[in-house]
Amino acid sequence: MKTLTTTDELAAFCKEAAGHDYVTLDTEFLRERTYYSKLCLIQMAMPGKDDSNAVLVDPLSGNMSLEPLYELFRDTSVVKVFHAARQDLEIFYVDAQVFPEPLFDTQVAAMVCGFGEQVGYETLVRRIAKQPLDKTSRFTDWSRRPLTDAQKTYALADVTHLRDIYEYLAKELARNERARWVNEELTVLTTPDTYIVTPDQAWLRVKTRTNSPKFLAVVRELAAFRETFAQERNIPRNRVYKDDALVELASNKPKSLEELGRARLLLREARRGDIADGILKAVAAGVACPSDQMPQPDRTRDKLQVNPALADLLRVLLKAKTESAGVAAKLIAPTSDLDAIAAGLRDVPALSGWRKEVFGLDALRLCEGKIALTADGSDVRIVALD
C-alpha cells in the first residue's frame, strides 16, 4: 500500500483521480485534546477492485500541502464519496473553507434506501460488499509515526470497500428515484453554519432546567467566554469547564475568587488565573445585562394543545408510510414533531421537502379529516373520506 508524503505525489494522484467518475475518501484524526480536529491521515481510492488504485495521504509528513486535494474537491465532474462525512467535512472547511462538490454520503444514502437510521460502515461492508471488516485499529493514536501495517490495512479498508457500497447505492437511488432526497439531506453538510460555533450562540447548546431570562443571561456569558477561551487556545471546551459546572456557576453567581472556590463542580485549574478571571467577568456581565437584551427562550411549544388522539393516529400513519417506503421512522419525524403537528403547528421538517411527499401530505390530510386509517390484517390502509 502506497503512502503519499509530498505535495507532488498528492497532485499526481488527484490529477489521475480527476479522470474518473468518483473517488472515495476518509480521514483519521484526533480531537481528545484539542478544540479543532487534528488531521492525521487521509485515505483515497479511485474505482477498481483491488488496492492498486488506493493510497494513504500523510498530512503530518511536513512536506505536504493539501491544495491538490482541494482542487479535486472543486472539480464538479468527480463525485467525492464519504461515509458519515460530517466530521471529515468540518476538518476541510476549518482548514480551507472548501467543501467537496458534488458530495455523496453513503450513510445518508443508505438511510433513504432502507438500511435503517445512522447505519454504520461495518454494516454496509457486510451487507453490500459481503466482506468482513477488522475494526481493532479504530481507536489507535493516528498521530504517531511510523504507522503500523495493521493501522494502514484498517485505514485503507475504509475507502476500498466504500467503492462497492457507493456503486450499489447509486444504482438503488437511480432505481427508486430518491437521489433528490439524498441531495436535500446533504445541504446541511455543505452549509458553513453547520461547522461554525460563534461564542455568542454557544449557550444554546447548554441544557438547563430553568428558562428564566436572568439565569440564561449568565449562562450565555459563561458559555461565550468558555467558547472563546477554548477556540483561542485550541483546547476542548470541557477542559475549561463542563456544562454542569457552568450551570452551577450561573446558579450561584460568584462575585469573588473566594466564592468561586466554593464551586463543587469546577476543575482546579479553573479556580485561578485567566479562567477564574474570565468566569467572574462573565458572571458580572450576565447579572448586569439589561432586561431587553436578555435571552428569550423559545416557548412556542411549551403550551401546545396537543390532541392526543390525533397524535396517536399520526404515529400509526408514520409507521405505515415508513414501512411502505422502507425508511426509518425517526428519519421522517421524531415524536416531538408529531405532537407539534397534532397541536396545529406546520413549520416542522416532516411537512417539507421529500418528507412531505412520503408522509407530510397524508399527515395534513389526516389532520383535516380528509382521510381515515383502517386495519387490514396486519397492514394499515388509508381510506379517502368524502
Side-chain angles (χ1 to χ4, degrees):
M1 59 192 76
K2 186 174 183 180
T3 301
L4 310 184
T5 59
T6 69
T7 305
D8 288 344
E9 290 176 328
L10 177 61
F13 181 86
C14 289
K15 182 178 180 179
E16 184 179 355
H20 293 274
D21 293 334
Y22 73 87
V23 60
T24 58
L25 300 102
D26 190 34
T27 69
E28 305 299 339
F29 56 88
L30 296 178
R31 199 171 189 171
E32 290 81 3
R33 300 174 184 175
T34 58
Y35 184 92
Y36 300 104
S37 296
K38 178 181 180 180
L39 180 62
C40 299
L41 193 69
I42 304 171
Q43 305 96 281
M44 302 176 65
M46 293 180 283
K49 295 300 181 182
D50 55 33
D51 293 350
S52 62
N53 285 347
V55 297
L56 304 177
V57 181
D58 187 359
L60 302 183
S61 66
N63 300 308
M64 174 77 69
S65 166
L66 295 183
E67 185 54 34
L69 175 62
Y70 297 146
E71 283 299 316
L72 182 62
F73 281 4
R74 299 182 186 102
D75 185 345
T76 57
S77 68
V78 184
V79 179
K80 273 64 73 170
V81 182
F82 292 80
H83 179 82
R86 190 190 186 287
Q87 290 183 300
D88 304 310
L89 299 191
E90 181 179 10
I91 292 172
F92 299 126
Y93 182 77
V94 169
D95 181 56
Q97 292 75 58
V98 62
F99 290 116
E101 183 184 2
L103 169 70
F104 190 98
D105 189 321
T106 55
Q107 184 178 69
V108 175
M111 285 193 290
V112 303
C113 286
F115 283 85
E117 186 183 14
Q118 301 295 319
V119 60
Y121 180 67
E122 185 177 6
T123 298
L124 295 183
V125 171
R126 186 175 65 253
R127 294 177 61 179
I128 295 176
K130 309 298 183 184
Q131 297 290 329
L133 194 64
D134 182 4
K135 304 293 285 186
T136 55
S137 296
R138 181 178 182 183
F139 296 110
T140 58
D141 185 348
W142 292 100
S143 67
R144 298 187 65 178
R145 294 295 184 270
L147 295 173
T148 66
D149 289 343
Q151 285 178 303
K152 292 179 180 180
T153 299
Y154 163 85
L156 212 60
D158 280 347
V159 290
T160 52
H161 297 313
L162 195 56
R163 298 176 297 196
D164 292 333
I165 294 169
Y166 165 69
E167 292 177 5
Y168 174 88
L169 291 174
K171 290 178 181 177
E172 278 295 291
L173 291 173
R175 181 187 63 79
N176 59 29
E177 299 182 342
R178 294 181 181 180
R180 180 171 53 83
W181 297 14
V182 174
N183 291 334
E184 285 185 26
E185 295 300 296
L186 294 182
T187 299
V188 175
L189 290 180
T190 54
T191 300
D193 287 349
T194 301
Y195 308 101
I196 298 174
V197 180
T198 56
D200 62 345
Q201 295 295 309
W203 70 278
L204 295 171
R205 300 185 174 205
V206 180
K207 294 181 179 180
T208 65
R209 295 181 180 180
T210 303
N211 283 329
S212 161
K214 291 183 179 180
F215 173 77
L216 292 179
V218 182
V219 169
R220 180 178 62 187
E221 297 298 328
L222 286 167
F225 163 70
R226 179 178 67 172
E227 207 70 24
T228 300
F229 192 93
Q231 289 177 353
E232 290 177 348
R233 291 160 178 80
N234 194 24
I235 60 174
R237 63 175 65 89
N238 283 346
R239 286 269 302 277
V240 185
Y241 41 82
K242 297 182 179 180
D243 282 2
D244 55 358
L246 188 154
V247 173
E248 180 189 30
L249 293 168
S251 299
N252 297 337
K253 303 177 183 62
K255 300 182 181 65
S256 65
L257 289 175
E258 181 182 356
E259 292 181 6
L260 186 64
R262 301 191 191 115
R264 291 187 307 109
L265 302 175
L266 201 60
L267 297 173
R268 181 181 303 172
E269 294 79 4
R271 299 169 186 264
R272 59 181 182 270
D274 292 341
I275 298 179
D277 290 342
I279 290 173
L280 295 176
K281 290 177 181 177
V283 170
V287 170
C289 180
S291 58
D292 61 343
Q293 296 178 24
M294 292 179 179
Q296 298 300 320
D298 183 6
R299 292 195 172 95
T300 55
R301 297 194 180 192
D302 287 355
K303 298 181 180 180
L304 290 181
Q305 299 298 314
V306 178
N307 181 330
L310 180 56
D312 287 342
L313 286 174
L314 287 169
R315 288 171 174 77
V316 174
L317 175 66
L318 177 64
K319 187 173 186 298
K321 299 292 286 187
T322 53
E323 285 182 352
S324 174
V327 181
K330 288 184 179 179
L331 186 61
I332 301 290
T335 298
S336 58
D337 279 5
L338 297 180
D339 289 341
I341 295 171
L345 294 187
R346 297 296 178 259
D347 184 20
V348 296
L351 300 181
S352 64
W354 67 269
R355 291 174 173 81
K356 185 174 183 178
E357 298 175 23
V358 176
F359 168 73
L361 287 174
D362 279 333
L364 292 173
R365 292 170 66 202
L366 183 65
C367 293
E368 294 165 0
K370 294 181 180 180
I371 62 172
L373 303 178
T374 184
D376 182 4
S378 59
D379 298 326
V380 174
R381 300 193 181 278
I382 297 173
V383 179
L385 302 176
D386 295 332

